[in-house]
Amino acid sequence: MKVRRTWPARYGLFILAALWMLVILPLSAAAAPYAAMVMDARTGEVLHSRNADTRLHPASLTKMMTLYIAFEAVERGEISLDTKVRISRFAAAEPPSKLGLKAGQRIAFRYLIRAAAVKSANDAATAIGEALEGSEAAFARRMNRTAKALGMSRTTFKNAHGLTERGHMSTARDMTIMGRHMLYDYPEYYNLFSRKSTHAGVRNVANTNRRLLSAYRGADGIKTGYTRAAGFNLVASAERGQERIIATVFGGTSTSARNARVAELLDMGFKRAPSRARLKKPGLPVYRSKPTRPNTILASSLRPALRPRAVIAQPLLVTRTDEAIAAALSGETAPVAPAPAAAAASTAGLLNTDTTTALLAAQAAQALDETESAPANKPEGTFVSARPVLRPGSATTAATAGQQEATAVISPEPEVVTRLSTSGGHQWGVNVGQYTSRYNAERALVTTALAEMATLDGTLRKVVKRPTGFDANFLGMTQESADLACRRLAARNISCQTVGPS
């Protein structure tokens, strides 16, 4: 009779268990420190904190910011929920958790939001960032601006999904602040986080937080997160009666352990919070405005004349904003200040006007100069040289000075240069319609540029005459920027189509 040998198998199991306890668990604990915070959502009062200001890996808690900006963009008209977003190869290649989107696929923006909020899909989060800002890096910069405006002072974002990346860090306090803003700033979207499942366009997806939603009374959100470096993270919110508590945990050792700890913290919050408290909603983010340039239009280049030419450089001319706009639509050049003193006074008066409007008007004037064959009316008055008068000297010097004065008087009509080079990949553009007259096409370009400055600023506006009418085009763009501009224009119900290199 043969005896079965079971000792080798038992020894193997013993060795694996020992490795797990002695090596893997200590490493996991070292990589995922614990932090927590409990807050009364109604008032913002902190009821409990531990290591709340320690910078740690947030994992998919990051997607709260991605979704916050998505909601903000929809409300501001940057994009609509029904806008079809084209999935890039970069977004499609994101690792799980993911929706399984394919490169080149088009999907409605609302489904990307659902997938990121409920499924915690990384490909959907990246696609949201690219749809709004054109690239992951540009979207990360917007995330950081928003975080700063919300008071998340110890948070730095590097991506839209939260996968571990050097420098991508946050704190339990900052993520609690983020959850509170999500709750009160966009309450119409908050119900997404309480859905145990939802349809995300291509399939139904289950909520990564469904266990806590089912097990804890009053729980209705918000967001889970896990990576090896972060551990099991969760920002949760629950409401009972008139009380609402937010609890945050970083560094849980497992889903069940994290959920149990969050339940304990929520219980603690409900015990410590007053039964009644006056609601003090957090303020909406206040973004720092970008530095504004002086509200003047440069009518000539500031580059000095090449030596040894004796011709004086073109003077600096200042035109009024409203006159420049009128000139843009009439084809005439705006009047110019007749003397330096008058120009200075005009400049001072312009400082309170709209910089962007002035720039757009100058661009329109340049476009009309290029497309109209008839010469424009020259401005009245005399151009005064900005160069100091030469000292008395030889007859040659006097003659040269006379030539310079004559040159200043007969200087050619000033130009405003607003071209963007079409080299280096800037060979794409967008068309915003065909019109029956050049005037209407120019007017459409000015109106569209004012409506979408973020992506059209710096482009070349050009009217192209066709047998069937006049095309209104913005040129000098990359393919990505042209696609982004069209998506944003479509969200404003402005017809648009991209124009590729011919």
Side-chain angles (χ1 to χ4, degrees):
M1 181 177 177
K2 294 183 179 179
V3 179
R4 296 178 63 184
R5 296 182 179 180
T6 59
W7 288 108
R10 291 179 180 177
Y11 283 135
L13 291 174
F14 177 79
I15 292 172
L16 287 175
L19 286 173
W20 175 265
M21 296 179 64
L22 297 176
V23 178
I24 297 177
L25 283 180
L27 288 176
S28 299
Y34 174 80
M37 172 163 277
V38 181
M39 178 181 288
D40 186 333
R42 300 166 299 176
T43 63
E45 179 186 359
V46 176
L47 305 175
H48 167 79
S49 68
R50 182 174 176 185
N51 299 327
D53 295 311
T54 302
R55 282 168 56 87
L56 301 171
H57 298 283
S60 286
L61 300 186
T62 299
K63 294 186 180 77
M64 287 195 296
M65 177 60 78
T66 300
L67 292 163
Y68 185 92
I69 294 174
F71 302 151
E72 178 185 68
V74 171
E75 293 300 309
R76 292 169 58 174
E78 297 177 41
I79 195 169
S80 75
L81 292 173
D82 296 319
T83 299
K84 295 289 186 180
V85 176
R86 184 179 180 275
I87 304 302
S88 69
R89 290 194 298 269
F90 182 73
E94 294 290 5
S97 173
K98 61 193 300 182
L99 188 57
L101 300 171
K102 306 297 182 184
Q105 177 181 353
R106 292 185 179 274
I107 185 171
F109 193 66
R110 69 171 68 249
Y111 295 131
L112 295 177
I113 289 177
R114 291 182 187 180
V118 177
K119 169 68 175 172
S120 195
N122 296 324
D123 51 357
T126 298
I128 289 173
E130 291 178 338
L132 295 179
E133 294 296 328
S135 69
E136 182 180 62
F139 188 70
R141 289 192 291 271
R142 180 168 178 174
M143 295 172 76
N144 289 323
R145 289 194 301 271
T146 305
K148 186 175 182 180
L150 293 176
M152 300 167 64
S153 59
R154 294 184 59 78
T155 294
T156 305
F157 294 113
K158 298 290 185 178
N159 57 57
H161 42 66
L163 292 174
T164 304
E165 186 172 341
R166 184 182 180 89
H168 187 99
M169 307 292 279
S170 187
T171 68
R173 184 185 305 277
D174 283 358
M175 281 299 161
T176 306
I177 292 172
M178 179 79 259
R180 185 168 184 250
H181 274 280
M182 184 71 77
L183 173 66
Y184 288 114
D185 292 357
Y186 297 103
E188 64 271 32
Y189 298 103
Y190 182 77
N191 71 87
L192 281 170
F193 301 101
S194 64
R195 299 181 186 180
K196 296 177 183 177
S197 66
T198 191
H199 184 62
V202 295
R203 62 189 176 94
N204 287 324
V205 293
N207 196 321
T208 57
N209 194 32
R210 59 189 179 277
R211 294 182 183 177
L212 184 72
L213 293 173
S214 299
Y216 192 85
R217 181 169 61 89
D220 55 9
I222 305 177
K223 190 71 193 72
T224 63
Y226 168 77
T227 61
R228 182 177 299 177
F232 292 83
N233 298 349
L234 175 60
V235 176
S237 180
E239 184 177 34
R240 292 179 179 176
Q242 297 181 357
E243 301 173 26
R244 178 175 283 279
I245 303 298
I246 299 175
T248 298
V249 165
F250 274 61
T253 57
S254 67
T255 300
S256 58
R258 174 199 66 194
N259 289 354
R261 181 55 182 159
V262 166
E264 292 175 1
L265 293 175
L266 289 171
D267 287 341
M268 178 194 303
F270 282 116
K271 289 178 181 178
R272 294 184 179 182
S275 58
R276 292 189 179 184
R278 184 177 180 181
L279 178 62
K280 299 177 183 178
K281 294 183 180 180
L284 292 173
V286 178
Y287 297 102
R288 227 168 164 196
S289 59
K290 294 181 180 179
T292 56
R293 292 173 288 183
N295 251 333
T296 59
I297 301 175
L298 298 184
S300 65
S301 172
L302 298 179
R303 183 179 295 177
L306 298 176
R307 297 179 181 178
R309 293 175 60 188
V311 180
I312 191 169
Q314 292 294 328
L316 178 66
L317 305 178
V318 181
T319 63
R320 293 185 180 276
T321 303
D322 52 355
E323 294 169 349
I325 294 175
L329 297 177
S330 66
E332 298 180 355
T333 304
V336 182
S346 176
T347 304
L350 286 170
L351 292 179
N352 294 325
T353 60
D354 181 35
T355 305
T356 307
T357 305
L359 178 59
L360 291 168
Q363 290 176 327
Q366 172 65 13
L368 286 176
D369 287 341
E370 293 178 346
T371 54
E372 293 288 354
S373 57
N377 295 329
K378 293 185 179 181
E380 298 179 358
T382 303
F383 296 121
V384 180
S385 171
R387 179 176 293 183
V389 180
L390 298 176
R391 293 182 179 181
S394 61
T396 304
T397 304
T400 303
Q403 292 174 358
Q404 291 172 344
E405 291 298 328
T407 302
V409 172
I410 62 173
S411 296
E413 187 174 345
E415 294 182 354
V416 180
V417 180
T418 58
R419 290 182 185 273
L420 182 63
S421 172
T422 56
S423 61
H426 292 77
Q427 299 176 351
W428 287 74
V430 295
N431 173 272
V432 292
Q434 189 174 86
Y435 299 86
T436 56
S437 68
R438 186 182 302 276
Y439 175 87
N440 288 337
E442 277 293 341
R443 189 178 185 87
L445 287 173
V446 172
T447 304
T448 305
L450 286 170
E452 182 48 47
M453 291 193 234
T455 55
L456 297 179
D457 186 28
T459 58
L460 172 65
R461 300 202 307 271
K462 187 172 183 180
V463 175
V464 179
K465 186 176 181 180
R466 306 283 187 192
T468 56
F470 295 85
D471 286 350
N473 298 329
F474 292 91
L475 303 177
M477 308 173 74
T478 64
Q479 183 178 3
E480 292 76 13
S481 62
D483 287 339
L484 178 61
C486 264
R487 287 198 301 269
R488 292 168 68 105
L489 289 172
R492 292 178 168 84
N493 295 320
I494 299 175
S495 62
C496 175
Q497 61 181 2
T498 56
V499 179
S502 55

